[in-house]
Amino acid sequence: MELFRDAARGCQTHSPLNATLLRAAADDLAAGGVTTKVMAGSELDRGGTVPGLRFAGSVHRLVLEGKAPGLAKHYPTVGGHLERDRLWADAEPVLDEHADMLRAMIRANAVQTNEPARSAALYGGLLVAAERAAEHAGRELPFPVRLLEIGASGGLNLRPHRFGYRLDDGTSFGDDESPVQFDLSWSGRPRADLATPLTVADRAACDMNPVDVTTEDGRKHLSSFVWPDQVDRYQRLQGAIDLAQADPVPVHRAEGSEWLRTQLAKDATGMVTVVWHSVVWQYAPPRERARGRAVVAAAAAEATEDAPLALLVFEPRRGNDPADPYHFDLLLRLWPAGISLHLGTGVGHGDPFTWDERHWV
Ligand SMILES: C[S@@+](CC[C@H](N)C(=O)[O-])C[C@H]1O[C@@H](n2cnc3c(N)ncnc32)[C@H](O)[C@@H]1O
C-alpha cells in the first residue's frame, strides 16, 4: 500500500492520471477491496520492482487493447480526458472483470521502458565522436559509425539517423522526411557540423531482457509504461516502433560485458566503433560494471587510427541540488586519440539538453 502511495507521488508531476489511480488503489488496498485480489501474489515484492507502476502499466495495457471501454474515456493515449472524480468509479468494474488477467500480468511484468528522445543527444555525441576520431587520424571526412548498444530494451535508439530533429533557430538535421520529428529544446550546440549527415554503417545491440518491438505484444508492452497523459511521447514511441519494424535490428538477450567482448573482437577497420548505453548502468551489479570497464579498457588498448573506439554514455549522476538530485550527463571517451569529454547534461528523457563541452576526468 505504501509502495502504491510512493508511486503516486512519483507520478504526480507528469501523470495526474496514474497518480489519481494509484492513490485510489492504495485506499482500496487498505479497505481490502478489489485491488487486493488483483495484487495477490505480489504483496511481498521489493520496492525496486515498482509494483505500483506494474499495476498502472497493466491497467493502461487493458485500455490500449480495447478491453476496458468504460475506463478508456479517461486515457488521453486513446483520445480520452481525465475526470479525476469519476476515475476510480470507472476503474473498479474493470479491475473486477479482469482481475485474473491483471494479476497474471502484474506478476509476470517487469517495468520496461525505451525512450527514443535520447537519440537526439546520441546523434550529437556520435557526430562529435566521428569528427574527432577523423581529425586525429588525419582524415578529411568523419568516420562512419558502428554503433554497439548495451541495454537497448526494444532497440529504439539504434536509428538516430532515421529521426528528424528541429531546433528553435530553424536548424534541422537528421532525416527531415522521417515520420518521427523532435522539436528540441537545446541550449548550446555540439561542437560538430550538424549539416554533415551522420553515417551509421553498422549496428548491434543487447539487453538482459529485450523487448521485440516487431511483435504486437512488444509494442503494447513498451507502450503501456508510457504515462497515459503524455500523448506526444506516446505517439513518438509509436512512430519509433513503426520505423523499427520497417528497419529491424535484433536486440540479443545477453549481459552487456560478455556480449561486448564478442562484438569488440570483430574487425571494424574504416569505422569508429561507438559503445553506447543510456540509463542502464545503475541496474547492473558492481561485478558486471567492473567486467564492462575491463572489456572496454582491453579494446581501447588495441584501438588504432583506422579502427578507433569510443565510449559514449548518457547516465544519471548525483548532483548537489536536493530538490533535483540527479542529472544526466553525456560523456565521451575516444581511443587512440586519448580524448575524454563531458559533452553536456540533459533531463532523463533526453530533452531539454544543454551542450557544454569540457574535459572529463
Ligand atoms: C531504463 S531501460 C533503458 C533502455 C534504453 N537504453 C533507453 O535509453 O531507452 C534499462 C535497460 O537496461 C537493461 N540492462 C540492465 N542491466 C543490463 C546489463 N548488465 N546488460 C544488458 N542490459 C542490461 C534492462 O534490461 C533495461 O532494458
Side-chain angles (χ1 to χ4, degrees):
M1 185 172 46
E2 270 318 303
L3 294 178
F4 271 48
R5 294 202 201 282
D6 284 350
R9 276 189 288 276
C11 296
Q12 190 56 52
T13 319
H14 299 296
S15 181
L17 194 159
N18 274 357
T20 310
L21 180 72
L22 284 162
R23 269 195 306 269
D27 292 344
D28 187 60
L29 272 175
V34 64
T35 314
T36 321
K37 204 157 75 170
V38 168
M39 293 306 293
S42 301
E43 301 92 338
L44 300 177
D45 289 359
R46 285 181 304 109
T49 66
V50 281
L53 297 186
R54 278 155 46 214
F55 169 83
S58 300
V59 175
H60 189 198
R61 181 163 178 158
L62 282 189
V63 169
L64 293 174
E65 287 177 342
K67 292 184 176 134
L71 185 58
K73 60 173 174 284
H74 296 281
Y75 278 72
T77 42
V78 290
H81 181 75
L82 172 63
E83 280 183 62
R84 285 177 205 242
D85 297 344
R86 293 277 324 148
L87 180 68
W88 185 248
D90 290 330
E92 235 176 343
V94 171
L95 299 189
D96 203 33
E97 183 185 346
H98 298 288
D100 291 342
M101 187 191 289
L102 279 169
R103 187 170 52 245
M105 275 160 75
I106 291 163
R107 289 188 70 172
N109 262 2
V111 172
Q112 183 72 322
T113 56
N114 197 184
E115 183 48 68
R118 294 179 187 139
S119 276
L122 168 62
Y123 190 104
L126 290 176
L127 277 185
V128 173
E131 282 188 17
R132 301 293 160 85
E135 269 166 39
H136 195 262
R139 280 170 62 116
E140 211 170 298
L141 294 175
F143 273 101
V145 169
R146 173 192 182 214
L147 179 59
L148 301 180
E149 183 173 9
I150 296 173
S153 182
L156 300 182
N157 286 314
L158 290 166
R159 347 184 145 65
H161 55 311
R162 300 233 190 275
F163 298 142
Y165 310 92
R166 295 183 289 235
L167 301 176
D168 53 9
D169 63 2
T171 310
S172 63
F173 55 96
D175 180 354
D176 59 10
E177 294 191 352
S178 171
V180 183
Q181 296 290 329
F182 293 97
D183 288 305
L184 301 174
S185 299
W186 275 7
S187 299
R189 302 283 182 264
R191 284 197 207 151
D193 181 10
L194 288 172
T196 303
L198 173 72
T199 306
V200 179
D202 196 10
R203 297 161 293 178
C206 80
D207 196 287
M208 297 275 282
N209 190 18
V211 180
D212 182 356
V213 293
T214 64
T215 66
E216 202 44 34
D217 182 58
R219 179 190 287 270
K220 288 281 177 342
H221 186 57
L222 281 186
S223 303
S224 68
F225 292 116
V226 173
W227 303 136
D229 319 59
Q230 296 187 331
V231 177
D232 286 353
R233 223 178 122 213
Y234 176 81
Q235 281 169 348
R236 276 206 311 259
L237 184 83
Q238 302 312 309
I241 293 174
D242 291 344
L243 279 179
Q245 292 192 345
D247 169 31
V249 181
V251 178
H252 297 280
R253 183 178 297 277
E255 196 169 31
S257 59
E258 214 29 61
W259 175 84
L260 195 58
R261 190 190 309 279
T262 318
Q263 295 299 317
L264 290 176
K266 295 178 187 168
D267 177 46
T269 304
M271 295 182 257
V272 56
T273 296
V274 181
V275 176
W276 155 253
H277 54 81
S278 57
V279 200
V280 172
W281 232 216
Q282 76 213 73
Y283 302 106
R287 204 167 35 97
E288 162 67 353
R289 287 190 231 164
R291 274 196 303 251
R293 279 194 294 273
V295 169
V296 171
E302 303 286 312
T304 64
E305 304 282 351
D306 291 335
L309 173 70
L311 175 67
L312 181 65
V313 306
F314 183 66
E315 295 287 347
R317 298 213 299 172
R318 199 175 262 285
N320 298 326
D321 179 357
D324 187 14
Y326 288 100
H327 52 261
F328 291 74
D329 287 334
L330 184 68
L331 305 170
L332 173 70
R333 285 199 204 276
L334 188 59
W335 300 275
I339 291 170
S340 185
L341 295 171
H342 166 282
L343 294 179
T345 302
V347 303
H349 291 151
D351 187 61
F353 190 88
T354 299
W355 292 93
D356 165 29
E357 184 177 311
R358 52 195 145 86
H359 187 59
W360 169 40
V361 277

